[in-house]
Amino acid sequence: MSQPFSSLRVDPDRMRESFNQLASIGVTADSGVDRPTFSDAHLAARKWFREHIEKSSLEFHTDGAGNHSAVLPVIARSDSPEAMTKTLILGSHLDSVPNGGRFDGALGVMAALEVLKTVRENGIRLNVHLEAMDFTDEEGTLVGLLGSAALAGHLTQENLQKPRGGRDKLVEGMNRAGLSDSSMLSAARKKESLAGYLELHIEQGKRLERTKTDIGIVTAIVGIWSYRLSFIGKADHAGSTTMEDRRDASLGASAFTLAAREMVMRDFPNCVVNVGNMDFAPGAFNIVPAQVDVSLEFRSPDEDEFNHLDKALLELAAKESACFGLELKTEFLGKHSPSLMDEKVRSAFAESCDALGLSHMSLPSGAGHDGQSLADLCPVGMIFVPSVDGASHSPREFTKWEDCVNGANVLLQAALRLAM
Ligand code: HGY
Ligand code: MN
Ligand code: MN
């Protein structure tokens, strides 16, 4: 049976225009973007997004978590009252990592918006409302997958009290955006209101480029656990204190970082570990470091493996700390479970790729994404387009426009398959 509207395509020039306008907000000297959650640039990007939605004759929607979206309501039909109609969400995120790239998240939101514009201007009657979403704080500058966790009803007061970016920064950011703990916790949607979630994203790795494949169809998204580890020694004079007499916190932190990498590569080949930051206190040239706070993140595709890796890393931290006569404090800062993508959605993506004459391969995601917040509520699926040299979370991030358009057309065709 031929697929209705199988010849329908997005408007590549219109999508590029909106993508480029967005990329100019928070742009950096080396043509990256710097739009951490609730920063001036991020709030400016959201203001632009809202104005763009309203100019496009789509409905603007926001919620207590600050999620921003465009809605294309179903064309009312007598046989399916609007109230019973579910929503198919397409989207990603407009926040970025500090000094990041202009494609991570932004491409997915612009492609989602372009799909709604294309469906609307062709007057296509669907069985669902369509929504193009920008989720709050996907990157975890404050919490991580914040907006999608709130929408899914997974966000807890504890997540807000002990966020990985620090409680003070979260409160300051929420105040800037006119949000609060209670508004965040009010953003949950009913499971039965959701028809599914589809996301287009850059791969942020080299597999598609290496194999010259057009589209990656994601099989699963890794889980992510975060800790702050504090290695505590004693401040002393950096000149007059003998090397033997020092309790130097930097030695424990550094030894742990190196040993953690070795252990994960040796014993947990499916996992990754990252120390993204070390805060030294007092932090002066001439003071032996009294305390070093380590921002630790580790990832696995397998929930059970996490428990083993968690135990092994904390034991290693305690060992390295004791080795240098230090005290160790550990603070757990939250976790996102790994999640499998929905088979039916994966098939819709594969059929769409075939219909568009695009090559595709299945692959797991080493990056976290909002879909993992929603995977237990509704069918979730993701597609990747190639990243040049695998670069991401850096101004070097780049994807060819032709690949961006391919991704948007697969998103369009898959949405039509699932929404009709
Ligand atoms: O960190 C990640 O995996 C994603 O880019 N937020
Ligand atoms: Mn992203
Ligand atoms: Mn990212």
Side-chain angles (χ1 to χ4, degrees):
M1 183 186 81
S2 83
Q3 179 65 27
F5 304 105
S6 56
S7 59
L8 198 60
R9 299 289 181 270
V10 299
D11 179 334
D13 298 333
R14 178 173 62 189
M15 189 170 94
R16 187 199 289 251
E17 177 54 28
S18 49
F19 178 85
N20 287 341
Q21 281 180 27
L22 173 63
S24 69
I25 304 173
V27 63
T28 55
D30 36 13
S31 62
V33 292
D34 191 52
R35 287 201 300 253
T37 307
F38 300 145
S39 61
D40 289 345
H42 179 237
L43 295 176
R46 288 191 138 178
K47 179 170 178 293
W48 172 87
F49 186 46
R50 172 172 192 157
E51 289 162 359
H52 193 77
I53 290 167
E54 288 164 345
K55 270 189 267 178
S56 310
S57 312
L58 294 164
E59 287 180 15
F60 172 74
H61 182 270
T62 189
D63 63 17
N67 295 316
H68 278 45
S69 61
V71 176
L72 177 63
V74 73
I75 299 171
R77 303 176 4 175
S78 54
D79 60 345
S80 85
E82 194 156 327
M84 301 289 285
T85 306
K86 293 177 181 257
T87 298
L88 178 63
I89 303 178
L90 318 175
S92 194
H93 59 93
L94 296 185
D95 68 300
S96 79
V97 293
N99 200 35
R102 64 187 188 280
F103 292 85
D104 179 354
L107 173 62
V109 179
M110 292 300 99
L113 188 60
E114 178 57 31
V115 167
L116 267 65
K117 290 176 182 176
T118 305
V119 171
R120 192 185 68 79
E121 69 193 356
N122 286 278
I124 300 173
R125 300 183 80 93
L126 303 178
N127 293 330
V128 293
H129 304 302
L130 275 189
E131 186 164 13
M133 179 69 78
D134 155 31
F135 282 117
T136 297
D137 191 39
E138 187 276 345
E139 292 291 2
T141 309
L142 299 177
V143 178
L145 305 185
L146 174 55
S148 52
L151 185 144
H154 295 324
L155 189 67
T156 65
Q157 187 56 47
E158 199 204 356
N159 298 146
L160 297 171
Q161 288 305 321
K162 292 175 70 178
R164 71 179 200 175
R167 175 72 183 163
D168 293 350
K169 266 182 74 182
L170 175 61
V171 171
E172 197 253 335
M174 289 196 291
N175 291 339
R176 288 164 62 82
L179 303 168
S180 63
D181 288 354
S182 55
S183 76
M184 288 276 173
L185 296 169
S186 74
R189 289 202 196 173
K190 289 192 173 54
K191 179 184 169 84
E192 53 275 14
S193 70
L194 297 174
Y197 175 65
L198 310 182
E199 180 167 353
L200 162 62
H201 204 283
I202 53 172
E203 181 199 341
Q204 301 174 300
K206 301 186 176 183
R207 291 160 294 184
L208 294 177
E209 183 182 57
R210 223 178 246 144
T211 57
K212 297 187 174 28
T213 307
D214 296 319
I215 301 286
I217 299 177
V218 176
T219 54
I221 303 175
V222 286
I224 306 177
W225 289 26
S226 305
Y227 276 91
R228 182 171 294 105
L229 302 181
S230 297
F231 293 84
I232 302 163
K234 186 163 63 76
D236 260 322
H237 194 294
S240 54
T241 310
T242 65
M243 294 308 281
E244 295 74 17
D245 284 348
R246 296 179 187 210
R247 287 179 47 225
D248 180 343
S250 72
L251 301 180
S254 310
F256 166 75
T257 302
L258 285 168
R261 175 181 179 277
E262 270 166 46
M263 180 188 73
V264 167
M265 292 178 78
R266 184 186 63 237
D267 305 338
F268 296 89
N270 286 337
C271 300
V272 291
V273 62
N274 193 58
V275 168
N277 191 43
M278 286 190 186
D279 271 325
F280 281 59
F285 278 90
N286 57 357
I287 309 174
V288 174
Q291 177 162 334
V292 175
D293 289 347
V294 165
S295 298
L296 173 68
E297 194 199 76
F298 48 99
R299 304 183 185 209
S300 168
D302 176 330
E303 190 76 54
D304 292 341
E305 195 169 35
F306 262 118
N307 296 315
H308 301 301
L309 178 54
D310 179 59
K311 183 168 177 292
L313 284 168
L314 293 182
E315 283 172 358
L316 184 64
K319 175 174 154 282
E320 298 297 348
S321 172
C323 185
F324 294 96
L326 307 175
E327 186 199 342
L328 174 70
K329 280 197 184 132
T330 66
E331 187 182 11
F332 179 60
L333 296 173
K335 66 177 185 177
H336 303 293
S337 296
S339 55
L340 290 175
M341 298 293 95
D342 179 82
E343 288 294 339
K344 188 167 167 248
V345 176
R346 288 173 56 186
S347 306
F349 280 136
E351 287 162 22
S352 302
C353 289
D354 295 341
L356 288 159
L358 297 171
S359 59
H360 56 90
M361 64 184 281
S362 294
L363 76 180
S365 173
H369 296 286
D370 287 306
Q372 65 198 110
S373 297
L374 301 166
D376 60 344
L377 268 80
C378 63
V380 168
M382 280 195 83
I383 48 172
F384 287 158
V385 287
S387 291
V388 171
D389 193 32
S392 184
H393 283 193
S394 144
R396 290 175 24 251
E397 191 174 276
F398 185 77
T399 292
K400 294 178 191 128
W401 191 249
E402 175 200 356
D403 289 329
C404 295
V405 175
N406 285 343
N409 281 321
V410 173
L411 187 71
L412 168 67
Q413 286 297 323
L416 292 173
R417 275 169 169 73
L418 294 164
M420 296 188 82

